[in-house]
Amino acid sequence: MAYMDVMPEILQGTNVQEFIPEPVDDETLERILEAARLAPSAKNRQPWRFIVIKKESLREKLKDHCYSDDRITDAGVVIICCTTNVDYKMPNGQLSYPMDIAMAASHLMFQARHEGLGAAILTTYQEPEIRAMLSVPYSMRVVAIVLAGKTEDKRKPYNRLERKRIISFDHW
Ligand SMILES: Cc1cc2nc3c(=O)[nH]c(=O)nc-3n(C[C@H](O)[C@H](O)[C@H](O)COP(=O)(O)O)c2cc1C
């Protein structure tokens, strides 16, 4: 399939490894957050809560709990994606929150790319420490961290399974 047929936001879809330390303006941030607010969720429960980390001192502290990942202090936007509910199951018997938060995170990343920024999702962090640091209530969890910002990270070649390996029609 020709790459040209795919949305640019997907083609720019590399998980950014290095950000240029520059702020992102508030209007852009608003649009990124709005995209997440509009994401779909199971039974429309919208279990997400987003904590935007702006303060430099907090960024430094957060970085300590993210294995010193420089992206935490360099990215223009740092969004902690939390869930309010960890028990709700979908009609298929599976937990909804990982999918719900993934949907929202995906919207954040798409909008960031649409704004001409790079985006990344991280799960390499110490959750108990971050929960304590941000006073995340006991029953809630930190599911992912999404970063967005200016980058010069060049699109590396896609390392993805071939279509024939992952797509079939009418049977497994
Ligand atoms: C659920 C999930 C968790 C991820 N966690 C991390 C992470 O902790 N650190 C990181 O650098 N990338 C993380 N990634 C990014 C993936 O490693 C990346 O998307 C994948 O290797 C493909 O690379 P590409 O998106 O740059 O093409 C995560 C992606 C997903 C969807």
Side-chain angles (χ1 to χ4, degrees):
M1 186 211 272
Y3 272 174
M4 304 240 288
D5 294 340
V6 179
M7 284 166 65
E9 288 80 1
I10 291 178
L11 287 177
Q12 293 149 20
T14 187
N15 206 61
V16 167
Q17 299 303 318
E18 209 171 319
F19 288 97
I20 297 169
E22 265 181 35
V24 168
D25 63 81
D26 283 344
E27 291 74 25
T28 306
L29 173 61
E30 282 304 314
R31 289 192 293 271
I32 292 171
L33 293 169
E34 182 64 0
R37 191 180 74 82
L38 299 176
S41 61
K43 271 272 178 86
N44 202 19
R45 292 166 64 91
Q46 304 165 67
W48 41 65
R49 297 293 182 271
F50 306 101
I51 307 174
V52 182
I53 309 295
K54 287 193 146 188
K55 265 195 204 149
E56 213 169 300
S57 57
L58 269 184
R59 293 274 198 110
E60 289 291 347
K61 223 167 135 193
L62 181 64
K63 183 167 146 177
D64 288 344
H65 304 314
C66 296
Y67 305 96
S68 306
D69 193 326
D70 285 331
R71 292 177 291 182
I72 298 292
T73 41
D74 289 348
V77 173
V78 176
I79 302 170
I80 313 290
C81 302
C82 306
T83 184
T84 58
N85 186 299
V86 291
D87 298 323
Y88 181 72
K89 287 191 176 154
M90 302 179 283
N92 64 9
Q94 296 175 22
L95 285 173
S96 69
Y97 84 85
M99 282 200 76
D100 292 335
I101 306 309
M103 284 292 210
S106 198
H107 276 218
L108 288 170
M109 295 171 78
F110 270 117
Q111 185 63 31
R113 288 170 185 147
H114 186 70
E115 302 283 347
L117 301 171
I121 181 167
L122 298 187
T123 48
T124 31
Y125 53 79
Q126 297 162 304
E127 191 195 5
E129 283 78 356
I130 293 179
R131 286 171 59 150
M133 176 186 146
L134 301 173
S135 309
V136 174
Y138 181 71
S139 58
M140 305 186 184
R141 299 206 70 173
V142 176
V143 183
I145 299 178
V146 169
L147 309 173
K150 206 171 159 196
T151 184
E152 274 174 3
D153 234 4
K154 294 282 178 290
R155 171 75 251 174
K156 52 186 189 270
Y158 270 107
N159 178 15
R160 298 291 192 265
L161 299 173
E162 283 181 40
R163 290 166 60 86
K164 64 176 187 299
R165 173 109 183 259
I166 59 168
I167 302 167
S168 62
F169 295 92
D170 297 332
H171 66 95
W172 174 265

